[in-house]
């Protein structure tokens, strides 16, 4: 029951990242380009649209949805997210928004699925980095035919993934302490060596709060 409740929370948050990203891009930034996005600084001399921050969070949340609810539901969430992205995007960006979201999230899914059985935290990080690069390249190329702003997009999304990692690490430790079964890697199905490593990591996660 705990796994399903948390999975539904992650699913709702995943869905909310899309309208929030659109709202941020139109309303929040150091300054807003007329008939364009609002921009923020992500590094010295480097700016990007404020909405890209939510893309990094969306990539992490997609992994958490899969960890709690399974790959099939996570894939369905990606399809629904692409439809929402197309619906909310400005007419000129419908194709770029939907295609970039769809392809990047499925790239994230593919990398995460291949790594999650071995190391959950590394899987989230690696899949997020792959997903954000795919998203940035596809969106900029399809929307503007240029990769001029690629660096800002990548840095902004990477920052949000890095900020999310302490929570991901905490969640991993707590799951192992509670022996919370995951759809993609239940403890009972783990090989002996993998189970030993999991138990070792439990001992290496002191101070985890039992909720």
């Amino acid at each position: 029951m705990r796994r399903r409740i948390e999975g539904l929370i992650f699913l709702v948050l995943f869905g909310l990242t899309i309208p929030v990203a659109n709202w941020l891009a139109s309303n929040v930034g150091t300054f807003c380009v007329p008939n364009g996005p609002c921009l923020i600084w992500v590094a010295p001399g480097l700016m990007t649209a404020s909405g890209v921050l939510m893309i990094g969070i969306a990539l992490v949340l997609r992994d958490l949805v899969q960890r709690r609810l399974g790959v099939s539901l996570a894939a369905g969430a990606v399809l629904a997210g692409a439809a929402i992205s197309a619906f909310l995007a400005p007419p000129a960006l419908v194709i770029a928004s939907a295609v970039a979201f769809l392809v990047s999230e499925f790239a994230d899914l593919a990398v995460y699925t291949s790594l999650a059985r071995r190391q959950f935290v590394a899987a989230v990080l690696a899949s997020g980095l792959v997903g954000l690069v795919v998203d940035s390249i596809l969106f900029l190329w399809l929307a503007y035919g240029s990769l001029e702003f690629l660096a800002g997009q990548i840095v902004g999304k990477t920052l949000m993934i890095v900020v999310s990692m302490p929570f991901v690490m905490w969640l991993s430790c707590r799951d192992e302490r509670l022996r919370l079964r995951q759809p993609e890697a239940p403890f009972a199905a783990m090989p002996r060596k993998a189970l030993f490593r999991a138990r070792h990591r439990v001992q290496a996660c002191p101070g985890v709060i039992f909720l």
Side-chain angles (χ1 to χ4, degrees):
M1 179 61 69
R2 179 198 297 269
R3 177 172 61 80
R4 292 181 180 178
I5 291 174
E6 291 182 357
L8 290 174
I9 292 172
F10 294 144
L11 181 62
V12 170
L13 292 175
F14 174 75
L16 288 175
T17 59
I18 303 167
V20 171
N22 280 270
W23 182 82
L24 287 173
S26 300
N27 296 280
V28 178
T30 304
F31 68 92
C32 297
V33 178
N35 299 317
C38 295
L39 304 176
I40 59 171
W41 295 101
V42 292
L46 195 61
M47 301 191 79
T48 191
S50 56
V52 307
L53 300 180
M54 297 308 299
I55 305 303
I57 295 177
L59 290 165
V60 173
L61 285 169
R62 195 223 60 80
D63 294 344
L64 300 186
V65 170
Q66 181 171 338
R67 182 169 174 83
R68 288 294 186 259
L69 301 178
V71 65
S72 297
L73 201 149
V78 170
L79 294 173
I84 295 172
S85 182
F87 177 76
L88 295 177
L93 301 178
V94 168
I95 294 178
S97 297
V99 171
F101 184 91
L102 186 67
V103 176
S104 65
E105 292 287 345
F106 272 116
D108 177 275
L109 184 150
V111 175
Y112 174 83
T113 302
S114 67
L115 298 177
R117 286 180 179 271
R118 293 190 291 273
Q119 227 295 338
F120 166 61
V121 175
V124 174
L125 181 60
S127 62
L129 293 175
V130 170
L132 71 87
V133 171
V134 171
D135 181 82
S136 301
I137 292 174
L138 280 179
F139 178 79
L140 291 174
W141 185 254
L142 292 173
Y144 306 112
S146 168
L147 300 181
E148 180 181 356
F149 304 107
L150 181 61
Q153 291 250 336
I154 289 177
V155 171
K157 295 166 189 174
T158 301
L159 285 174
M160 298 313 296
I161 290 178
V162 171
V163 168
S164 302
M165 292 314 294
F167 174 75
V168 173
M169 295 171 67
W170 172 83
L171 186 68
S172 177
C173 287
R174 195 203 63 172
D175 287 357
E176 289 170 356
R177 280 184 179 270
L178 297 180
R179 295 293 190 269
L180 192 61
R181 293 167 63 91
Q182 309 304 328
E184 73 273 7
F187 276 95
M190 285 186 178
R192 184 180 299 273
K193 289 184 178 180
L195 182 57
F196 173 81
R197 288 195 297 268
R199 287 174 175 168
H200 178 73
R201 289 197 301 270
V202 169
Q203 297 173 359
C205 297
V208 176
I209 300 174
F210 287 82
L211 299 180

